[in-house]
Every structure is written in structure tokens, then in C-alpha cells.
Amino acid sequence: MIIMDIKADNLYAFKNFHMNMSYPKKIVDSTISEEYLNDRQNFRYKKVNIIMGGNATGKTSLGKLLMTFTNYFEDGMYKRFTSKIDNEKKHAFLKIDFVTNENRLYRFQLSVRPKAEVEYKEDDVDINVYFTPIGIRDNYENCAKRLDESDCNKISYDQINTSGWYFSYPQDAWKKKTYIPIEENEKYLYILKQILITLDPSIKDVIKVKEVDNTYAIKLDHCSVIIKDGQIANGEVLSSGTKAGLDISYIIASLVCDKHDLYYCDELFSYVNSDVEKACLSIMIEKLTGRKQLFFTTHNTEILDMQLPKHTFTFLKKDVRDIDLPIKCIHAEQYLKRNTDSLKNAVENDLFCTAPELHKLYEIADL
């Protein structure tokens, strides 16, 4: 699944939120290959979406909203959306344009009326999915225009092949963290070992425990750490960065094994060295073959030094004083037009006005 456009209102903290994943013209000698549909080269999409912003600007919420949307295609349950509504006395809206392995642009459209009773009823929720064919010369914009003008067909959610997705969040985002191995593929163990030893050189080996199903052992000098059914049995000897390596290993192995098409990595490298983060991100980008897409949130400004197209970077800004648009989406390429413009300099000079306000902190010094 490739996400092309998101519009959300009254879901989580998003109001009149809009984020677009198309880009206007092909980049010559781009470091990200094939940012277009393989047989529809005018239909361009941002294969890599690096999302930056301060705390509480919506990076995790955006991932959770997209996860709610993708999970809808498993069972068609409308209640997963009503639980995400911010103000139940107001209308809620979600529109997402996306592409799968078929040459069709789909539009998912959700509309929820204000709650009239104790619980939302099915009649309060309207969900429709439309599609239009993507022609040989079509780009996203003219396909979206056909959807806007209702020049399209309606389809049910269970008729769409979404091809799989994976969402990873910080460890404190869930009460119980489960790490997922790729049991049936031998490449997973190799990748897991390479990454964990890079993160913690004191690790001697990583092995699969043959006597117990779905169990791995991380061998250290004086003990072993057991991972069974995705749960770390005695993880107090592992650093937070090493634990993050379990998720990192799964994502890279999934890309190598062509397991999913859509990935959302939220602050996965918060406890990991910057050079390791850049190396892993470069591997992820290299393995994004075919119709795949990566969303990657980070606070690490060293990522800005990677030779990536400017349209790869999106900045989220929260402005609580703006009631109508509290979370704004800022696309770097709209500000930096020349190839010689430095993205890192722009961020360090706060061109996008996304730096946190620090005056409240400095007032502490006056006590």
C-alpha cells in the first residue's frame, strides 16, 4: 500500500490536517530510486517520508491514525475510528488516497456525525471507498481530480488487496512490548545478529533455540537473554538501544524478505547512536524496491546531512493558538527551491518555525 494523501479532522488532535505524498517532477540522479509506479512513471510518490518535529506535534498520532486506517481492511469495523474522535459533539472526517499493487487510485472516505446517544451507532458513520484507473500517462493529480469530480467507481473494503503493513512505536507507547521474528526465514537470524552485535559489542552470538518453539538466545559473556514468543524474559541486562535493535532487525528483515509494503517507524532509534541510525535508514531505503513506502520519524538532525531529496522531509508543527489548524504539515521542498539550499542550515536557523519555545524553561532560572 502506498499512501498518497491524508486529510483528517477531529481525529486525535488533528483538525483540518493535510499531508500529501506526491511530488511534482522527477529528480535527476536521485539517491532514492524509482519514486514512481514501476509501469506508470508519471505517477510519482514519496517513497521515503522522514517526519520531524518537536514533542507532541503528532508524529506518533499520525502513525496510529494510519494504523487504524490500514487495520480497517482486515474486518471493516467502524468502531476503531469512533474511539479516536477528539470532540464527540462535532463532526469527524478522514480521507486517504492510496495505491495498492493494482493500477488504481483508491480513496477511503470516512464521515462521522456528532454523537447523539451514549454510544456511536452504525448509522452515525459513513465509510465509502472509491477508485479510478491509473492510465499510462496519468499522474496523481489528474487521478485525484477524477475522484473529486466523482468520475470513479465504488468498491467494498474486502475487495482490495492491501499487501501488508508494519507499524513500530517507542517502547513506552504500549503497556506490553512484543517483538516479532520472521520464523520461517533464515535471513532474519543473520540480520538480528549483525544488528545486535553492532549495538552491543559485548554480545557474542545470537542463536535460535531448537528445543523450544519461537525462542532465541542472545549470548553475552556471563549470561544469556531469552526471547520467547516475542517477549524478553530477562531483559534488564540489555540496554534500551539493544532492545530497539529487535524491532530494527524485524523491519530490515521484512524489507529484505519482501514481507510488507508499508512501514511506519516512529522514534525507533531514540536510544541508538546517530551513525547507526543513518546506516540502518540507508539500508531500509536501499531495500524499498517495488511499490513500497516508508514513514520514519526522528529528532536526529544528523539525518538532514544524508543526501536525500528535499521532498523526503516533512516537519510537523503544533500551534495551540491556532484553533482551526493546531498541527501544521510543512514540506521542505516548498521552502527550499534550489539544489544548493542546505536543509540542515534551514532547520538550525528555524526557517520552518518548528523549534520548541524555551522561554518557560528559562523562567525556572529566575526562581
Side-chain angles (χ1 to χ4, degrees):
M1 179 185 289
I2 300 167
I3 306 297
M4 295 300 307
D5 194 82
I6 307 168
K7 291 182 179 178
D9 186 44
N10 197 23
L11 293 164
Y12 288 107
F14 297 116
K15 294 180 181 178
N16 300 309
F17 177 80
H18 182 211
M19 182 176 179
N20 183 264
M21 270 62 68
S22 66
Y23 66 97
K25 64 179 182 178
K26 185 177 179 180
I27 306 298
V28 179
D29 297 326
S30 174
T31 54
I32 302 176
S33 64
E34 298 181 355
E35 281 197 289
Y36 48 80
L37 299 187
N38 50 359
D39 50 357
R40 300 288 191 275
Q41 295 193 17
N42 290 331
F43 199 100
R44 293 177 286 273
Y45 71 96
K46 298 176 183 179
K47 184 170 281 191
V48 180
N49 298 271
I50 297 176
I51 303 173
M52 307 184 78
N55 295 322
T57 54
K59 299 186 299 295
T60 299
S61 294
L62 177 62
K64 290 182 176 180
L65 183 60
L66 284 175
M67 186 172 68
T68 300
F69 158 71
T70 54
N71 286 343
Y72 169 79
F73 292 94
E74 292 186 339
D75 54 23
M77 287 289 293
Y78 72 88
K79 291 184 178 179
R80 66 175 76 250
F81 294 103
T82 55
S83 64
K84 310 300 187 295
I85 292 175
D86 179 48
N87 188 339
E88 296 176 341
K89 296 180 180 180
K90 293 186 177 181
H91 175 268
F93 176 79
L94 178 64
K95 182 167 70 173
I96 297 181
D97 291 353
F98 64 101
V99 177
T100 65
N101 287 331
E102 300 175 297
N103 287 321
R104 292 175 173 180
L105 177 64
Y106 292 95
R107 173 167 292 173
F108 169 92
Q109 195 157 301
L110 163 81
S111 179
V112 184
R113 286 174 282 277
K115 184 192 283 187
E117 302 180 25
V118 177
E119 298 291 337
Y120 282 104
K121 304 296 183 183
E122 190 171 359
D123 291 342
D124 296 327
V125 182
D126 291 324
I127 299 178
N128 295 288
V129 184
Y130 306 93
F131 75 90
T132 184
I134 301 173
I136 294 292
R137 297 186 178 181
D138 276 339
N139 57 25
Y140 165 73
E141 287 71 23
N142 53 37
C143 289
K145 184 178 180 180
R146 291 200 295 269
L147 291 171
D148 291 338
E149 296 173 349
S150 299
D151 182 14
C152 54
N153 300 284
K154 192 173 182 179
I155 190 172
S156 62
Y157 78 92
D158 55 353
Q159 293 179 295
I160 302 172
N161 178 17
T162 52
S163 302
W165 51 83
Y166 183 74
F167 292 79
S168 177
Y169 299 99
Q171 294 187 30
D172 63 353
W174 309 106
K175 293 181 179 179
K176 187 176 182 181
K177 183 70 177 177
T178 300
Y179 301 94
I180 307 174
I182 305 177
E183 288 292 331
E184 66 276 11
N185 198 293
E186 61 183 15
K187 294 178 182 178
Y188 169 73
L189 185 60
Y190 172 79
I191 293 170
L192 179 64
K193 180 178 177 179
Q194 298 297 97
I195 288 176
L196 292 187
I197 291 177
T198 300
L199 292 170
D200 185 352
S202 67
I203 293 174
K204 303 303 181 184
D205 201 1
V206 181
I207 64 172
K208 191 176 188 306
V209 179
K210 297 180 180 179
E211 296 81 4
V212 186
D213 290 340
N214 198 20
T215 303
Y216 293 85
I218 301 173
K219 299 284 189 178
L220 294 101
D221 281 330
H222 304 295
C223 65
S224 295
V225 175
I226 302 300
I227 307 170
K228 177 172 172 52
D229 297 324
Q231 294 291 314
I232 301 177
N234 52 337
E236 63 275 2
V237 300
L238 297 179
S239 70
S240 297
T242 306
K243 291 177 183 177
L246 297 171
D247 266 345
I248 296 167
S249 301
Y250 176 80
I251 291 171
I252 292 178
S254 295
L255 285 163
V256 170
C257 301
D258 199 22
K259 192 172 180 65
H260 308 297
D261 285 348
L262 175 65
Y263 295 84
Y264 198 101
C265 303
D266 184 37
E267 299 294 344
L268 190 57
F269 293 84
S270 298
Y271 302 104
V272 175
N273 176 274
S274 174
D275 289 337
V276 175
E277 179 176 6
K278 290 193 289 185
C280 289
L281 177 57
S282 67
I283 294 170
M284 291 179 189
I285 293 173
E286 182 180 340
K287 298 302 179 182
L288 278 174
T289 57
R291 297 191 180 191
K292 291 184 175 64
Q293 190 176 41
L294 171 67
F295 289 84
F296 188 95
T297 79
T298 183
H299 287 285
N300 182 10
T301 56
E302 297 300 316
I303 297 293
L304 300 170
D305 285 331
M306 298 177 68
Q307 299 301 310
L308 298 172
K310 291 183 177 66
H311 67 241
T312 300
F313 295 89
T314 301
F315 298 85
L316 296 185
K317 176 184 177 181
K318 193 168 190 177
D319 184 358
V320 295
R321 292 163 293 193
D322 191 336
I323 299 175
D324 295 326
L325 189 62
I327 297 178
K328 297 174 173 62
C329 187
I330 300 169
H331 298 288
E333 75 273 16
Q334 295 176 350
Y335 289 77
L336 305 177
K337 303 293 186 181
R338 298 174 299 182
N339 293 334
T340 55
D341 290 336
S342 170
L343 183 57
K344 189 171 184 180
N345 285 343
V347 172
E348 289 177 343
N349 289 285
D350 200 22
L351 175 65
F352 311 126
C353 300
T354 55
E357 297 182 3
L358 303 177
H359 66 278
K360 294 290 184 184
L361 294 178
Y362 290 121
E363 287 175 4
I364 298 173
D366 297 329
L367 292 177

